[in-house]
Amino acid sequence: MSQSIALLKRQIGGATDLQSVVRTMKAMAASNITQYENSVRALSDYSRTVELGLGVCIRAAQTAGVSSAALPNTGSDKAAAVVFGTDQGLVGQFNTIIADEALQTLADLPGKPMLWAVGERVHSRLTDADADSVGRFNVPNTVRAIAPLVGKILIDYEARTRQNPGTQLYLFHNRPTTGSLYEPVSQRLLPLDNAWRRQRSDIAWPTKNPPEVLGDPIQTMRKLTGEYLFVSLFRACAESLASENASRLAAMQRADKNIEELLLSLNASYCRQRQSSIDEELFDVVSGFEALEP
């Protein structure tokens, strides 16, 4: 009996320690969600400004009679993709969902696209599927670390596609949603084809005094295109990190609930075992007293 009580006490102590760790991870995940969501909201104004500038440059190039061939990133039959996942676990099907989305979308393209994986878990998933993974990056753990990561991705992409400057670039990541935790999102960033340019040129300037492009509109457009790529990758990374922490928060909430139920069961068993032990001791005392009575 004493062994059972000691075992239950050890189990209760272990479950209590685990619950403390789970609740700490819940607090960290909730805090991380806030900072990444705030960074996405902060990008919206800058992203809008970049798109307005691109629209002005495209209209200026059309007015000047610049041919489409002279515009940057006009297209190629080569393809590449960046897939955002996680380095750590406790996120459910997070990496599997986005990896399957990427593999299914890229399977319809000719050839074998190059893949950059952000996160060890999604990299392993892509490698198991025999994808052409040319690079792997660690997932940033703060908002400040996102910008250096995006810079590395763009530098590696430019170096590997120097012979094919119009290589198609796809982006895959999970995005937070209101109805559920997240949803997989795919986006083609490059090339900046006619449909893309037409969509940007249709964006109306917010005031009655439209600006003019000083200097070469093509050179200005190239600079703004770099900012467009940077903002798109930054937003994708921040949304993926927010989704990752939301998934981890949900997993920790389920774990906390399960541990709470386990503690209730263990405490009930401990109380029963303890009461049974006390009853046995009382019975022994009563039996001894009765045996000693004349």
Side-chain angles (χ1 to χ4, degrees), residues 233-245:
L233 285 166
F234 193 105
R235 181 191 294 113
C237 185
E239 289 181 345
S240 178
L241 287 167
S243 301
E244 173 188 348
N245 283 277

Side-chain angles (χ1 to χ4, degrees), residues 213-233:
V213 180
L214 297 177
D216 185 5
I218 300 302
Q219 189 65 23
T220 305
M221 184 177 175
R222 291 183 186 277
K223 295 294 185 181
L224 289 174
T225 299
E227 294 300 312
Y228 163 74
L229 294 176
F230 179 86
V231 169
S232 299
L233 285 166

Side-chain angles (χ1 to χ4, degrees), residues 201-275:
S201 64
D202 290 340
I203 299 177
W205 190 258
T207 65
K208 296 181 179 179
N209 298 318
E212 295 182 2
V213 180
L214 297 177
D216 185 5
I218 300 302
Q219 189 65 23
T220 305
M221 184 177 175
R222 291 183 186 277
K223 295 294 185 181
L224 289 174
T225 299
E227 294 300 312
Y228 163 74
L229 294 176
F230 179 86
V231 169
S232 299
L233 285 166
F234 193 105
R235 181 191 294 113
C237 185
E239 289 181 345
S240 178
L241 287 167
S243 301
E244 173 188 348
N245 283 277
S247 179
R248 184 170 291 113
L249 176 61
M252 293 302 99
Q253 288 173 337
R254 292 192 297 268
D256 190 17
K257 181 180 178 181
N258 292 336
I259 293 172
E260 191 69 33
E261 294 175 353
L262 176 61
L263 282 173
L264 289 174
S265 176
L266 290 174
N267 283 318
S269 298
Y270 175 80
C271 290
R272 286 194 299 269
Q273 292 283 1
R274 183 61 180 158
Q275 185 62 49

